[in-house]
Amino acid sequence: HAKRSGRQQVQLFTPALDDQRRERFALEAALRRALHAGEFTLHYQPQLRGAALESVEALLRWTPPHLGPVSPGRFIPVAEQCGLILPLGRWVRERACEQAAAWHQQGRPLRVAVNVSPLEFTQPDFVPHVHGLLTRLELPAHLLELEVTEGVLVQDLTGTAAKLRELRRLGVRISVDDFGVQHASLSALMALPADALKLDRSFLSGHAGLGSSCAAAPHVLRAVHTLGRELNLDVLAEGVETPEQHALLSGLGFEYMQGFLFSPALPPDELDAWRAARSG
Ligand code: C2E
Ligand code: MG
Ligand code: MG
Ligand code: MG
């Protein structure tokens, strides 16, 4: 009977699996073409310290012709699995550093934070590539920040820590992204040479098992903030959408925030306009 029901399962699930595989192959092929066709752009989302613009995060945007925009949450995992994240990540670092260098040369320097996938980070040429970019573009290293996730820890803690130290020696700022959702051990996290923690936005939206309203979470938010401060890290809250969340976080001592309440990620010219409008 087990055999029989097994066969039934195969019959039931094979078509769906094929569909998934087909969709994945199609996405992979489209991504490969997109990189060559120049379909990617970078948008920049403000990160505030108090009321002041502290830095921006570079976020990939992809709008294939004849289709709507595809979110990075969908295509980044595919790019990671098929290895395309390596050329794509290089492209992102180069464009983001060029933009940072342009702002610097225009006399309005602004630090740019760039997301780095674990696979990119483990490449032996990662640090040399970053170093080469800073030199070639004459970009002061403090205007570049790299966001790594707890995922880099899983692979090789000693190697990761050494690379992060090397980058910080160059003057590059390091932040730990999506903090609190990937279950890295605290001791591993404490061994990471970093400058900042970015608290995952699920802590605000209630997806971290804290209930559906942020009213249930102040003590958790306070604890994470205290932990960060004890480790001498700046702590940024991601995904701030409402004035209530802003007030709560401010009250708990959070200085650094990012979210739709302030601005979504914007193309460079719109970010320039946003800056100009705020500085009055
Ligand atoms: P992330 O690095 O945690 O980036 C923050 C994400 O939160 C962005 O989503 C941003 O648009 C979104 N966000 C910001 N404020 C709010 C808010 O107030 N409410 C809500 N609901 N969302 C907000 P996005 O651009 O869709 O990117 C998703 C993820 O894709 C990123 O999460 C990052 O992990 C990855 N990603 C994006 N660009 C790159 C890239 O250039 N390289 C790599 N390796 N990953 C990237
Ligand atoms: Mg990020
Ligand atoms: Mg994040
Ligand atoms: Mg995220």
Side-chain angles (χ1 to χ4, degrees), residues 151-256:
V152 299
L153 288 173
V154 177
Q155 320 227 350
D156 164 21
L157 181 53
T158 318
T160 293
K163 266 189 199 178
L164 292 177
R165 262 194 298 276
E166 214 178 321
L167 288 162
R168 291 180 81 206
R169 247 197 318 270
L170 295 176
V172 174
R173 189 177 150 93
I174 302 293
S175 53
V176 179
D177 200 4
D178 302 340
F179 177 80
V181 292
Q182 293 185 329
H183 314 294
S185 80
L186 259 189
S187 60
L189 274 174
M190 289 192 294
L192 267 193
D195 301 281
L197 291 183
K198 299 189 70 177
L199 183 62
D200 193 78
R201 70 170 187 268
S202 58
F203 279 88
L204 289 185
S205 61
H207 294 151
L210 302 169
S212 58
S213 97
C214 64
H219 59 291
V220 177
L221 292 169
R222 183 185 287 118
V224 176
H225 184 259
T226 303
L227 173 73
R229 294 312 306 155
E230 289 294 326
L231 297 174
N232 216 2
L233 300 167
D234 293 329
V235 183
L236 178 144
E238 288 188 311
V240 181
E241 293 182 350
T242 67
E244 291 74 21
Q245 290 171 333
H246 185 204
L248 169 71
L249 291 162
S250 299
L252 293 171
F254 280 80
E255 267 186 285
Y256 298 91

Side-chain angles (χ1 to χ4, degrees), residues 45 57 60-61 72 115 117 177-178 201 238-239 241 259-260:
Q45 186 178 30
E57 176 175 8
L60 256 176
R61 295 293 176 257
N115 291 286
S117 290
D177 200 4
D178 302 340
R201 70 170 187 268
E238 288 188 311
E241 293 182 350
F260 294 165

Side-chain angles (χ1 to χ4, degrees), residues 7-52:
R7 198 154 43 225
Q8 274 175 347
Q9 272 183 4
V10 166
Q11 281 167 355
L12 278 175
F13 289 115
T14 295
L17 210 71
D18 276 354
D19 282 354
Q20 267 179 29
R21 231 177 251 142
R22 251 196 301 277
E23 193 187 308
R24 186 176 190 79
F25 273 130
L27 188 55
E28 209 180 297
L31 278 170
R32 281 185 203 287
R33 275 196 304 272
L35 191 56
H36 294 286
E39 288 170 11
F40 291 103
T41 54
L42 281 184
H43 286 190
Y44 298 87
Q45 186 178 30
Q47 301 184 317
L48 281 81
R49 178 182 196 173

